[in-house]
């Protein structure tokens, strides 16, 4: 009996054709982008990093939707992509912009292994993979730009990511169309997390049916300090810590 969790289509047949708009986004890096799409459609789906139904829209919804962000990156800047998953958007930006030094941050070991293989196979010398949560880099590293897509709502994301943004740097969060509401609802959390200013940008309207929507959060002249997690219950004097309680790194 066929395993219903396994896609029926053979891996090579899942690779979607390259749309003509891809050259506008990737220019002379198009071949590397095509190689990456082939990896997503084959081992990416087989290893469960991408859903099998995503195969036909890998270009439009995923790779082009991330690639249109590349012009926002400064020359030779440093970038951390938080919760990279299968490399979206971090790997796409690294292949589009070889001058940018990219760190993919991902806590799930299985995904890290896949990302490391993809980086080697694509010959990307400007990428390293960090196995861990964003919080594990707090106070160790900062980056000119931090990116994230589909990781958490904006107030939570700001708490995790802004302590990683260098003075004068930005968090670019690729979001859906409801981002205006999220920004309004989470405004207090954004300020508490150290965002100096924020706005919404739409990118890629000439190449995408649905342009990419970004929340851009700006940091002033100091990297924000981590905000204590308000979801962690206050410690009562004399109370014993449960062994399952996870402490956030300082
Ligand atoms: C829904 S996936 C999105 C993956 C990819 N960014 C994309 O757009 O397809 C969310 C990813 O965030 C990672 N993640 C969750 N919390 C995180 C944290 N605090 N720091 C870093 N990564 C985190 C998860 O392991 C998961 O791979």
């Amino acid at each position: 009996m066929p395993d219903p969790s396994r896609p029926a289509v053979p891996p090579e047949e899942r690779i979607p054709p390259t749309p003509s708009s891809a050259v506008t986004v990737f220019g002379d890096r198009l071949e590397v982008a095509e190689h990456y799409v082939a990896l997503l459609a084959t081992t990416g789906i087989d290893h469960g990093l991408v859903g099998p139904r995503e195969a036909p829209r890998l270009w439009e919804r995923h790779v082009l939707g991330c690639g249109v962000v590349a012009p926002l990156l400064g020359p030779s800047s440093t970038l951390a992509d938080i919760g990279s998953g299968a490399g979206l958007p971090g790997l796409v930006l690294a292949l589009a912009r070889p001058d940018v030094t990219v760190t993919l941050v991902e806590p799930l070991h299985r995904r890290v292994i896949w990302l490391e293989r993809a980086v080697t196979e694509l010959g990307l010398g400007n990428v390293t993979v960090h196995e861990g949560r964003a919080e594990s880099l707090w106070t160790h590293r900062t980056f000119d730009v931090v990116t994230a897509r589909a990781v958490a709502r904006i107030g939570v994301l700001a708490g995790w990511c802004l302590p990683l943004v260098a003075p004068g740097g930005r968090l670019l969060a690729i979001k859906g169309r409801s981002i205006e509401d999220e920004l309004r609802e989470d405004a207090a959390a954004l300020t508490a997390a150290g965002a100096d200013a924020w706005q919404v940008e739409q990118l890629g309207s000439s190449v995408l049916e649905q342009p990419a929507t970004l929340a851009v959060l700006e940091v002033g002249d100091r990297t924000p300090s981590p905000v204590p997690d308000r979801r962690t219950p206050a410690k009562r004097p004399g109370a014993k810590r449960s062994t399952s309680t996870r402490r956030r790194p300082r």
Side-chain angles (χ1 to χ4, degrees):
M1 239 182 87
D3 177 353
S5 68
R6 293 209 142 222
V9 185
E12 305 70 41
E13 288 178 29
R14 288 182 228 136
I15 302 170
T18 307
S20 55
S21 52
V23 71
T24 316
V25 176
F26 292 106
D28 63 2
R29 303 291 290 162
L30 180 60
E31 240 178 74
V32 192
E34 286 177 313
H35 192 164
Y36 175 55
V37 169
L39 289 180
L40 289 173
T42 54
T43 59
I45 289 179
D46 290 338
H47 294 205
L49 280 90
V50 180
R53 289 205 200 109
E54 296 305 305
R57 46 191 188 181
L58 281 173
W59 275 110
E60 169 84 12
R61 181 167 178 182
H62 299 282
V63 176
L64 292 174
C66 293
V68 293
V69 177
L72 293 191
L73 310 178
S76 305
S77 49
T78 56
L79 180 150
D81 182 37
I82 304 305
S84 215
L88 298 160
L91 210 51
V92 178
L93 295 173
L95 69 86
R97 290 288 303 273
D99 62 309
V100 173
T101 304
V102 174
T103 304
L104 307 177
V105 181
E106 173 53 55
L108 288 186
H109 184 64
R110 192 169 51 82
R111 294 180 180 184
V112 167
I113 298 293
W114 188 89
L115 284 171
E116 283 171 341
R117 285 196 189 135
V119 168
T120 305
E121 210 168 300
L122 298 171
L124 297 175
N126 58 332
V127 183
T128 51
V129 185
H130 172 81
E131 181 169 349
R133 293 172 62 88
E135 301 93 302
S136 67
L137 290 175
W138 285 352
T139 71
H140 298 299
R141 301 273 307 271
T142 58
F143 304 85
D144 299 319
V145 178
V146 175
T147 55
R149 186 186 90 144
V151 175
R153 63 176 292 130
I154 197 68
V156 175
L157 203 56
W160 290 344
C161 297
L162 292 183
L164 299 176
V165 179
R170 299 196 286 181
L171 167 63
L172 307 177
I174 302 180
K175 286 282 187 177
R177 273 176 293 180
S178 59
I179 184 57
E180 299 273 9
D181 293 338
E182 238 183 78
L183 286 169
R184 203 174 320 106
E185 288 161 17
D186 289 4
L190 300 184
T191 304
D196 242 32
W198 54 87
Q199 78 263 357
V200 173
E201 286 203 26
Q202 293 219 314
L203 299 169
S205 53
S206 61
V207 285
L208 296 170
E209 236 167 69
Q210 209 172 311
T213 306
L214 260 72
V216 180
L217 272 60
E218 285 165 23
V219 157
D221 55 10
R222 291 183 61 175
T223 291
S225 301
V227 179
D229 189 342
R230 268 172 280 155
R231 288 170 304 175
T232 305
K235 209 175 147 194
R236 281 178 285 112
K240 276 193 182 163
R241 184 179 286 280
S242 145
T243 48
S244 64
T245 304
R246 293 181 65 176
R247 296 184 74 170
R248 297 186 88 179
R250 286 171 195 275

